[in-house]
Amino acid sequence: MNKLTTYTIKELHKIYRDKLLTPTSFVDLCLQKVKQTSELNAFVTVTEDEAENHGVESEKRFYIDKKSRMLDGITFGIKDNFCTSNITTTCASEMLKNFVPTYDATVYARLRAAGACLIGKCNLDEFAMGAGTVDSIFGPTRNPWGYDKSNDDWRISGGSSGGSAVAVSSGACVAAIGSDTGGSTRNPAALCGIVGLKPTYGLVSRYGLIPLVNSMDVPGILTRTVEDAATILNCIAGPDFLDSTTIKKEFDPVSITDDFDMTKIKIGIPKEYYCEGMSQEVIDTWRYVADLLENQKAVLKSVSLPHTSVSIAVYSILNQCEVASNMARYDGLEYGFRAEENYSTEELYASTRSQGFNDVVRCRIFAGNYFLLSRNYDKYFVKAQKLRRLISNDFKNIFNGDDHVNILLTPTTLSDAPLYKDFMSKHNRDQCAFQDYCTQPANMAGIPAISIPIRLSKNNLPLSVQLMGPFLSEEILLNVAKRIENIVKFPAVAL
Amino acid sequence: MKFKFAFITFCKVKYIQILSRNIGGKVPTTPVNTLEKYQNKKVVVDKNTLNLLERLSLVKCDTTKGTKVLEDSIAFADKILHINTDNVEPLYSVLEEENLHLRTDKVTQGNCQKDILKNASITEDDYFVAPPGNIPLQDIKAEEICELTK
């Protein structure tokens, strides 16, 4: 059974060909795993019927039609902020608890078209606002690393795509889709010991992804291996007629080679990514990977991205402004929760929104509207957008010119997975300010980034690093990540 | 003699460790000084502004805790206001250099009335139903706030 936590797409396809397992039997194993690990609370909805139907379809294509697709028999989970027709999509909020979309998100549609089998919808922080998957109306998601039933405290999964990360690391599915606005895919991937890829903004369609911050949201990929992340990316990336913010250029599938030439790769170590509060173990892991890459003959050098330290504050302004605007759609009339209130339309709106949103969402709407007041608009919102350009220019300067580097190597998180009780002692904004320090700059600039697990901490928890590259540099990122992965041989969680 | 040998070996090992640390010398050894600057004055949002925000946000139940969180958010944002951004254009979209497509102005979807109405809690004769409009939000009085927070 423990093999479930290590199977890769390639291995599974070989196993299907050898008939050691079939897609339907594998789907059943995954569903069993979901039940066994239900205490981790990775799923909001387990789509048992869909999983079985999709498994049967895959099996037919595999053995009868002999025309199998890229992801036939590959189980996956998708964060519950992606629309799936006829399957509830809740955003882990009272507001959308009973919302049943009538259409599919493009990412979901493409995975299905490639033959993948849906195991369930994954837990998240309400409307993806968080860094721990602790603010969900369905309760928090628990990290399988270090989990002990008899202990009343446990490690957080990270967030906001914590359900997706736990589903993959615990072996309930082979891959999962998350969303990444400020690190929501890379952060839980790092804390759960799996690979988390945030593609270039506009490379993967946002159609059907319930928006948090439109100018930064991207669908993210969570898998156990770098190669699987590349395979999933190849199935979901590319222009989408239904999302005008996808890049129009045809997508060239990425390919990963074991003999990737590292001598041509120049890697920058940005000094600003060592911030106050970062654990020594994280720094040591960062240094360990830097040494390892130097041994692989890559060229390393110290670089500077001077505006990094203000990025998190700028991000928080822009996030709250876009949230205030995005959340305006929830009024209780057309869909979603509706309060019992008949005095006036405005009263209905206000009651609905007060009861339907948790306090994190309400506070972000409040703060966003404060920054957007006409007297504050230039002072905060425009100022933040200007600083956003400086942050983005920092990256452009590093990736271009004579003295450029190809990619950047940084930590992903500031520590290993915190204990739930410790994490809950902080307010949501402080949780995010701490957890998103290294991840949100990539969203500000729209560039791709990947988190890969490296080794275990003293507490036996995963420690990870992050690679970032210029626009559309997924192929280089994935190849370098693959080289690191081959060397560090990070273990699967023992359940 | 043995002790001396042990001591020299120890020194050598230490030396090698220090050397190997220097290989990874590109990774910084101290945290960076932040550019953020805490403003010393305390942020206070007055009652009028709170009322305005409540009307704009259409979210009720503005509690003491809510006000505190708002003031903290503003203080958090204030840390970056001192940075010079003269002659810098705002960056609204990271795809500003890309041509984004506009679809032709043709109807491609439709006949989905049932689907659209499906998720509404209350409908009547294929309409969404709303209570009377044009009535401004009632001011929430302090006592009521206390009630709501209980």
Side-chain angles (χ1 to χ4, degrees), chain A residues 149-262:
Chain A
K149 262 185 212 178
S150 56
N151 196 332
D152 69 339
D153 207 358
W154 35 269
R155 303 283 166 173
I156 62 159
S157 63
S160 61
S161 315
S164 302
V166 170
V168 172
S169 67
S170 65
C173 49
V174 181
I177 297 297
S179 60
D180 195 312
T181 306
S184 283
T185 290
R186 289 159 286 157
N187 172 294
L191 300 189
C192 294
I194 57 169
V195 175
L197 172 68
K198 172 222 174 286
T200 301
Y201 181 86
L203 182 63
V204 180
S205 169
R206 294 187 292 118
Y207 179 74
L209 164 61
I210 297 172
L212 173 62
V213 181
N214 303 55
S215 74
M216 298 188 212
D217 293 342
V218 287
I221 298 167
L222 299 110
T223 54
R224 291 186 290 260
T225 67
V226 173
E227 200 167 8
D228 283 357
T231 309
I232 301 288
L233 179 71
N234 286 341
C235 291
I236 61 173
D240 179 16
F241 181 72
L242 297 167
D243 174 3
S244 68
T245 59
T246 47
I247 297 164
K248 260 164 87 182
K249 212 176 87 193
E250 266 321 299
F251 168 69
D252 276 332
V254 295
S255 67
I256 294 191
T257 50
D258 275 324
D259 52 357
F260 184 75
D261 186 2
M262 293 288 286

Side-chain angles (χ1 to χ4, degrees), chain A residues 100 245 248 274 291 294 309 335 338 344-345 347 351 353-354 359 362 369 375 380 383 385-386 389, chain B residues 24 26 32 35 49 57-60 65 78 83 85 89-91 95-96 99 119 129 131-132 138:
Chain A
V100 183
T245 59
K248 260 164 87 182
Y274 185 168
D291 289 349
E294 213 155 40
S309 61
Y335 51 84
R338 176 177 180 140
S344 73
T345 308
E347 286 292 334
S351 301
R353 293 158 60 78
S354 300
D359 58 351
R362 288 200 309 268
N369 278 328
R375 59 172 185 239
Y380 291 103
K383 179 86 184 178
Q385 297 284 27
K386 287 180 174 177
R389 181 172 301 278
Chain B
K26 274 117 198 164
V32 69
L35 297 179
T49 311
S57 305
L58 285 169
V59 172
K60 275 189 198 169
K65 190 187 156 214
D78 282 345
I83 296 168
T85 49
E89 284 295 309
L91 176 64
L95 299 180
E96 61 183 10
N99 288 318
N119 273 297
V129 181
Q138 288 172 304

Side-chain angles (χ1 to χ4, degrees), chain A residues 86 98-100 102 201 215 240-241 243-248 269 271-272 274-276 283-284 286-287 290-291 294 300-302 306-307 309-310 312-314 316-317 320 333-336 338 341-351 353-354 359 362-363 365-367 369-371 373 375 379-383 385-390 392 396 427 429 433 437 444-446 471, chain B residues 20-21 23-36 43-46 49-50 52-62 65-66 69-70 72-74 76-104 108-109 115-122 128-139:
Chain A
N86 301 318
N98 299 313
F99 175 62
V100 183
T102 54
Y201 181 86
S215 74
D240 179 16
F241 181 72
D243 174 3
S244 68
T245 59
T246 47
I247 297 164
K248 260 164 87 182
I269 311 278
K271 60 171 192 254
E272 290 81 3
Y274 185 168
C275 68
E276 214 54 75
I283 304 288
D284 290 343
W286 189 10
R287 194 171 284 132
D291 289 349
E294 213 155 40
L300 262 76
K301 65 183 217 177
S302 175
H307 295 93
S309 61
V310 296
I312 193 87
V314 177
S316 98
I317 298 174
Q320 293 173 104
L333 288 185
E334 301 90 351
Y335 51 84
R338 176 177 180 140
E341 173 64 65
N342 288 314
Y343 175 72
S344 73
T345 308
E346 301 249 307
E347 286 292 334
L348 170 68
Y349 288 171
S351 301
R353 293 158 60 78
S354 300
D359 58 351
R362 288 200 309 268
C363 286
I365 295 173
F366 251 69
N369 278 328
Y370 178 84
F371 297 135
L373 288 176
R375 59 172 185 239
K379 182 180 174 188
Y380 291 103
F381 182 66
V382 177
K383 179 86 184 178
Q385 297 284 27
K386 287 180 174 177
L387 284 163
R388 185 178 185 186
R389 181 172 301 278
L390 295 179
S392 163
K396 282 194 176 147
H427 179 261
R429 204 204 46 256
Y437 182 87
M444 299 282 270
F471 253 70
Chain B
S20 70
R21 285 227 156 179
I23 294 174
K26 274 117 198 164
V27 171
T29 47
T30 46
V32 69
N33 288 328
T34 177
L35 297 179
E36 292 175 344
V43 178
V44 181
V45 181
D46 61 58
T49 311
L50 282 174
L52 174 64
L53 287 177
E54 204 163 78
R55 273 208 310 283
L56 290 172
S57 305
L58 285 169
V59 172
K60 275 189 198 169
C61 192
D62 162 53
K65 190 187 156 214
V69 174
L70 173 65
D72 283 352
S73 294
I74 298 165
F76 193 73
D78 282 345
K79 296 188 296 187
I80 51 104
L81 297 180
H82 65 282
I83 296 168
N84 188 322
T85 49
D86 293 348
N87 304 316
V88 179
E89 284 295 309
L91 176 64
Y92 293 106
S93 164
V94 294
L95 299 180
E96 61 183 10
E97 280 158 33
E98 298 280 326
N99 288 318
L100 299 180
H101 78 173
L102 292 173
R103 64 180 177 84
T104 44
T108 55
Q109 288 171 308
D115 276 355
I116 287 172
L117 289 167
K118 203 180 83 175
N119 273 297
S121 307
I122 305 177
F128 295 120
V129 181
N134 284 327
I135 304 172
L137 201 61
Q138 288 172 304
D139 276 342

Side-chain angles (χ1 to χ4, degrees), chain A residues 33-49:
Chain A
K33 192 74 176 179
V34 173
K35 285 199 187 108
Q36 277 170 16
T37 55
S38 61
E39 281 177 35
L40 301 176
N41 202 23
F43 292 94
V44 168
T45 309
V46 181
T47 54
E48 219 162 313
D49 293 346

